[in-house]
Amino acid sequence: MKKILVPLPFYAGCWLVIMVAVMSIAHVPQLPLWSIIFSVMTLAWSWLVLQQKVKPISALMKHLVMAIVVIATLVSAISADGLAGLSTLLVTGSMLKLLETRTRRDGWVLVLASCFATAVSFLFNQTMLSALLGLISIVVIFCALVSMHSFGEYKKQPFNAAFVKPLRRSSALLVQSLPMMIVLFVVFPRIGPLWSVEYKNGAAKTGLSESISPGQVGRLTRSDAVAFRVSFEGDQPPPRQDRYWRAMTLSRFDGEQWFMDDFLRREATVAPSGTRSENRYQYQVIAEPSANPWLFLLDYPTQVSGEQIQLASNKTTRAIKPLDNRFTYQASSVVSDRFFQTELKWAERYTAVPNGGNPKTRALVAQWREQRLSHSQIIEQIYNLFNRSFRYTLSPPVLVADQQDAFLFDTQAGFCEHFASATAYMLRLAGIPARLVGGYQGGEWNAYESYMLVRQFEAHAWVEYWQQGEGWIRLDPTAFVAPERIEQSFDQLFGDDTNFAADSAASLIRWEKRWSWVGDLRLRYDAVNYRWHRWILGYHETQQLLLSDWLGGKNRLALIALVVLPVSVFLAVTLWWLLRKKDHYLNARSRDIEKVSRLLEQKDGRLRRKKEETLRRYLERVVAYYPELAAVAPAWLTAYERLEYLPHGKTASPLQKTYTFAYRHFYRGAKRLSAKR
C-alpha cells in the first residue's frame, strides 16, 4: 500500500527553519568554521525557498552537497575533542534534512533531531544562558509541532497572527507543565543515569596535566576559562600573597619532565604550630569539569569533606573518578608556608636526579656543597642567581638539550615552571629533598556574590623542600624574580601581552584596562551564573538535607514511595483534566452553538442540540418553539455558513464582525424569551 505523504503547511516550514536555527546556536562554540558557514547558507536558502524567491535545490546538487558535507563531517569528527564531533554531526545532518523537507514526516525527523541536539548541548555548557537558550529551543519545537498539525486553521489568518498563535499555544503547554516540573525538581531523588558518557570538555587543553615541563603551565595563560570558584565562611578571603591553591605534587624527574606522585597513603600530619586563629579558613569549592580527579585546596588543608574524596599525606586531594561535571566540596585550611611531619618517608624519591646531563648546573651546585653551605645559604645562593639577570615572561625561548643549563646560563627567561624546575633540581643536587607543587596562585574576588574566581591563566608551580624538625617548607622562586606576580592581579600585570588569553578571542578581560565597566559587567554576569550553579545545578546536596528533614531519615524505598504516590495522584488528576470533554477543543463558532444549546436546555430539555444536528436543522426546531426568534435566526445562520465555507486565502475580518453581531442579537433574544416562560 502506498504511503500518503502529507505536505507541510507554509507556516510549519517557517517554524522548522527557525527551530533548526535556534537549536544550532547552542552548538556554535563546538562547530568548525566550515560547518557554521554551511549552516548559515542552508538556513538562508531554505527560508528563501519557503518565500518562493528561489527554486528548491536539484536532486543532483543535493547529492553532491551531501557527499561533501559527509566527508567534511568525518574529518572534523576525527580531529575533534571529546563529543565536539557529535555537535558537527547533529547540526550538519539537520541542515541536510532541512534542504529536502517537504512533508510532515520530514518535519517529524527534524523535530526529533532538534530535541536530541538540544539535550546534547547541555553536555558542553550548563550556564544560565544555555538553560535560557534550551528553553527557547523547546518553545520553538512546540511551535513547529503545533504548526505542522494545523493545516486550515492558519491559512485564513494574517501572517503575524499565524506566527503568534502557535507561540501562544506552545507557551501555554509549557506553563501547564511547570508545576509538575517544580515538584519533580524539588522532591524527586536524583538517580544516576543508566548510561555513562565520558566527556572531557577540552580539559586536556585548558587544565593542569599529570606532568610539568618547561613551558607547559605557561600555555594555560592563553585561556581565561574558569578553573574553580570558592566561597569563604564570613566572606573573608586570605590576602593575595597567601592564595596558593594546591592541586598536585610532582616528585619523579627524568631530566625534562616532572611527574605526579603515584601514591596516596594517608599519614598523620600536624598543623603548623603557633598559627593564629585568623589564619584558619573554612570554604566551599565548586570545581569546573576538568576530566582529571585532583581537587584544589588552600595551603595547607586540615579537613576536607565531600562525596568520594581521598586526602593524601602530601596534602593533596583527589576525587574517586575524574570530574566530568561540576564538583562541590568543603574544606578548612591553615594558611602557612609549611606543615610539619615527624619523619620523611621515601627520602630517596625526593633526592633522585638523572645520571649525567646539565654539567654547568652540576658544577655550580658542587661548588656550594664544597663550601658546606646550609639549606638556608643554598637557597640564598639560588635567590642571588635568579635576582641577578633573570626575567619573567609569558613567551620564554624554547629549551633543547640540557634544559637546566640552557635556562640558567643561556636564556635566563621563563615562566613559573622554569624557575620551579631549576630550583628543585639544584636543591636535589645539593642533597636537599625537594618536589614540585602544581596548582593555582591568586584569585579574583567577586563582591556581587561574595566568592573568589580562579581562572586557568592563574595556574602556577612552586617548590617544597624538606627540613628536619620543620617538615615541608614552601619555596616560590617566582617571587625571587617577579614578586609582583604573587602580590598583584595576573590579568592586570600581563593583560597587554599578546599571549595572554590568546585562546579566548571573545574574552572581556582583555578589554578591562580600556573600559572599566566591562570588568563590572563580567563580574555581574559571573555572579548570576555562580548563583545558578550553586542553587540550581548544585541543588542535589540541598535536596538531601531537605528530604531528610521532611521525612525524618526514612530509607530510600520509603522515600521513593512517599514521593511517587503524590506525583502519581497529581499526574492522574492532570490527565483527567486534559482528557475530559471540554468545549475548549471546539472552535469559536461551535462554542457559540453549545452556549445557546445550554441556555435553551435549562428551560426545556428537548431544545438540547443533538450531536448529528446541523445548525440549520437545530434553528428550525428552536424557531418552532420560539417563533419570536424567526426574525434574527436567518442572519446568524447565513453568517455562520459563509464563514464555514469561506475559500482559502480570503480574509474573514469584515464577515466576522457581521457574524458576531448576528449571534449576539440571537443570543440576547433567546435569553430574554427563556426568562419570560
Side-chain angles (χ1 to χ4, degrees):
M1 182 177 177
K2 187 177 179 180
K3 294 183 178 180
I4 299 176
L5 300 180
V6 181
L8 274 176
F10 167 73
Y11 296 112
C14 295
W15 275 114
L16 287 173
V17 174
I18 297 173
M19 177 189 71
V20 175
V22 173
M23 174 272 293
S24 304
I25 292 175
H27 293 271
V28 167
Q30 283 73 44
L31 296 179
L33 180 60
W34 70 265
S35 180
I36 297 175
I37 296 174
F38 171 71
S39 300
V40 173
M41 294 176 62
T42 302
L43 291 170
W45 184 269
S46 300
W47 187 265
L48 293 175
V49 169
L50 288 171
Q51 304 297 326
Q52 297 183 353
K53 295 183 178 180
V54 296
K55 294 182 179 180
I57 189 171
S58 64
L60 177 62
M61 183 61 67
K62 186 190 306 179
H63 287 86
L64 179 62
V65 170
M66 182 186 68
I68 296 174
V69 170
V70 167
I71 295 173
T73 302
L74 289 175
V75 173
S76 298
I78 293 173
S79 59
D81 296 317
L83 296 178
L86 179 59
S87 288
T88 307
L89 177 63
L90 289 173
V91 173
T92 55
S94 299
M95 295 299 167
L96 289 174
K97 186 62 181 176
L98 189 61
L99 287 175
E100 66 170 7
T101 298
R102 298 292 181 271
T103 65
R104 190 165 66 182
R105 186 177 67 177
D106 296 330
W108 267 104
V109 173
L110 278 178
V111 166
L112 294 176
S114 296
C115 290
F116 182 69
T118 300
V120 168
S121 67
F122 289 105
L123 292 175
F124 304 96
N125 195 348
Q126 297 179 13
T127 63
M128 191 175 68
L129 186 61
S130 64
L132 179 61
L133 186 60
L135 178 62
I136 295 174
S137 182
I138 292 175
V139 172
V140 174
I141 289 173
F142 274 52
C143 290
L145 285 172
V146 170
S147 299
M148 284 167 54
H149 295 273
S150 303
F151 286 88
E153 185 174 351
Y154 301 142
K155 290 184 178 180
K156 304 174 186 178
Q157 298 182 5
F159 184 84
N160 294 338
F163 266 83
V164 170
K165 197 165 185 178
L167 189 59
R168 287 178 179 174
R169 285 192 176 183
S170 60
S171 300
L173 289 172
L174 291 175
V175 170
Q176 291 172 4
S177 66
L178 189 61
M180 187 64 184
M181 182 194 71
I182 294 175
V183 170
L184 293 176
F185 176 81
V186 173
V187 302
F188 203 82
R190 301 305 194 257
I191 301 174
L194 301 177
W195 61 90
S196 177
V197 178
E198 295 183 359
Y199 174 56
K200 293 191 175 182
N201 198 22
K205 290 185 176 181
T206 60
L208 294 171
S209 61
E210 295 182 354
S211 63
I212 289 181
S213 60
Q216 186 167 357
V217 177
R219 285 195 290 271
L220 295 182
T221 61
R222 301 179 62 86
S223 172
D224 70 340
V226 175
F228 56 96
R229 297 175 175 88
V230 190
S231 57
F232 290 88
E233 185 177 291
D235 298 337
Q236 294 296 326
R240 179 174 294 277
Q241 63 271 18
D242 292 332
R243 298 173 189 172
Y244 282 88
W245 301 97
R246 188 184 195 86
M248 66 187 77
T249 60
L250 305 99
S251 60
R252 293 181 290 122
F253 183 55
D254 64 359
E256 294 184 357
Q257 288 185 304
W258 294 83
F259 297 92
M260 283 185 61
D261 296 337
D262 53 4
F263 59 96
L264 274 174
R265 296 185 183 180
R266 179 69 184 270
E267 299 177 10
T269 60
V270 180
S273 59
T275 55
R276 303 186 308 274
S277 59
E278 57 264 28
N279 287 344
R280 299 179 182 273
Y281 295 88
Q282 292 185 343
Y283 50 94
Q284 182 188 60
V285 181
I286 301 179
E288 292 293 305
S290 62
N292 295 315
W294 48 80
L295 306 176
F296 316 101
L297 297 172
L298 192 65
D299 261 352
Y300 285 95
T302 57
Q303 185 179 1
V304 183
S305 60
E307 295 183 356
Q308 300 181 332
I309 290 180
Q310 294 176 320
L311 179 63
S313 60
N314 58 13
K315 293 293 183 179
T316 61
T317 305
R318 301 184 190 183
I320 297 297
K321 60 180 182 179
L323 306 185
D324 294 327
N325 296 293
R326 286 183 179 84
F327 189 80
T328 303
Y329 54 98
Q330 294 77 35
S332 59
S333 296
V334 174
V335 171
S336 176
D337 62 351
R338 66 195 65 195
F339 72 94
F340 179 74
Q341 279 183 322
T342 55
E343 60 176 331
L344 177 63
K345 291 188 177 182
W346 308 288
E348 66 280 357
R349 175 190 294 268
Y350 300 110
T351 55
V353 292
N355 296 324
N358 301 296
K360 293 182 181 180
T361 306
R362 290 176 177 271
L364 176 63
V365 177
Q367 292 179 8
W368 295 345
R369 301 194 67 172
E370 290 176 1
Q371 298 173 12
R372 299 182 180 278
L373 300 180
S374 64
H375 288 187
S376 60
Q377 289 174 326
I378 290 178
I379 292 174
E380 185 177 357
Q381 291 292 334
I382 296 175
Y383 170 79
N384 293 332
L385 176 64
F386 285 155
N387 202 32
R388 191 177 307 154
S389 57
F390 283 73
R391 63 187 180 90
Y392 187 89
T393 176
L394 300 186
S395 52
V398 178
L399 303 177
V400 287
D402 292 332
Q403 292 183 356
Q404 308 304 328
D405 279 0
F407 170 66
L408 292 173
F409 299 98
D410 297 331
T411 63
Q412 296 187 341
F415 196 63
C416 61
E417 68 268 29
H418 294 82
F419 296 101
S421 177
T423 300
Y425 181 67
M426 288 188 286
L427 290 176
R428 288 192 174 190
L429 288 176
I432 303 174
R435 65 190 180 192
L436 257 63
V437 183
Y440 296 83
Q441 201 289 323
E444 180 182 21
W445 184 252
N446 192 328
Y448 294 111
E449 198 62 29
S450 299
Y451 69 94
M452 184 169 291
L453 183 66
V454 182
R455 297 182 178 273
Q456 293 294 349
F457 57 67
E458 293 176 300
H460 195 55
W462 60 94
V463 177
E464 284 181 339
Y465 70 94
W466 171 270
Q467 187 161 320
Q468 188 64 38
E470 295 191 34
W472 288 102
I473 302 175
R474 182 201 306 141
L475 177 64
D476 191 349
T478 300
F480 297 165
V481 183
E484 63 274 8
R485 162 64 182 91
I486 310 302
E487 299 171 356
Q488 300 181 33
S489 171
F490 190 93
D491 53 292
Q492 292 296 323
L493 287 172
F494 302 102
D496 295 331
D497 194 291
T498 55
N499 287 321
F500 175 72
D503 292 342
S504 306
S507 174
L508 296 177
I509 297 179
R510 300 177 63 90
W511 303 96
E512 291 181 14
K513 280 190 174 182
R514 296 183 179 180
W515 301 294
S516 58
W517 61 268
V518 174
D520 183 73
L521 178 65
R522 176 179 60 83
L523 290 176
R524 286 180 182 273
Y525 174 73
D526 195 85
V528 173
N529 266 324
Y530 174 76
R531 184 175 297 180
W532 170 263
H533 297 326
R534 190 172 184 180
W535 299 111
I536 303 299
L537 300 182
Y539 175 72
H540 176 55
E541 296 180 1
T542 306
Q543 183 197 49
Q544 289 181 329
L545 298 175
L546 182 65
L547 295 181
S548 178
D549 293 339
W550 284 0
L551 305 175
K554 302 287 185 182
N555 59 43
R556 182 173 289 271
L557 291 178
L559 176 64
I560 293 176
L562 289 172
V563 171
V564 169
L565 183 60
V567 169
S568 301
V569 173
F570 180 84
L571 280 176
V573 173
T574 303
L575 289 174
W576 171 81
W577 177 263
L578 294 176
L579 297 179
R580 70 186 179 92
K581 182 179 179 181
K582 295 189 300 181
D583 293 342
H584 175 73
Y585 296 108
L586 302 174
N587 60 41
R589 292 185 292 277
S590 297
R591 289 199 299 269
D592 292 341
I593 300 174
E594 287 297 313
K595 188 176 179 180
V596 170
S597 176
R598 286 195 300 267
L599 173 67
L600 297 177
E601 184 185 17
Q602 295 175 1
K603 203 65 178 175
D604 190 336
R606 293 174 297 174
L607 293 181
R608 174 69 182 176
R609 183 197 176 202
K610 301 176 183 180
K611 291 184 179 180
E612 71 280 2
E613 200 170 24
T614 64
L615 179 60
R616 179 179 292 274
R617 295 294 301 272
Y618 177 61
L619 289 180
E620 289 176 357
R621 290 201 298 116
V622 172
V623 169
Y625 190 84
Y626 289 116
E628 296 90 339
L629 295 176
V632 294
W636 181 28
L637 176 63
T638 302
Y640 172 85
E641 291 180 340
R642 290 184 63 188
L643 278 175
E644 283 294 307
Y645 299 102
L646 187 71
H648 295 320
K650 296 290 185 179
T651 178
S653 298
L655 187 57
Q656 182 66 44
K657 294 180 180 180
T658 303
Y659 168 84
T660 303
F661 176 80
Y663 161 72
R664 290 178 179 175
H665 194 40
F666 181 90
Y667 182 81
R668 285 194 294 266
K671 187 175 182 180
R672 183 176 61 257
L673 291 173
S674 61
K676 289 181 180 180
R677 294 190 181 183

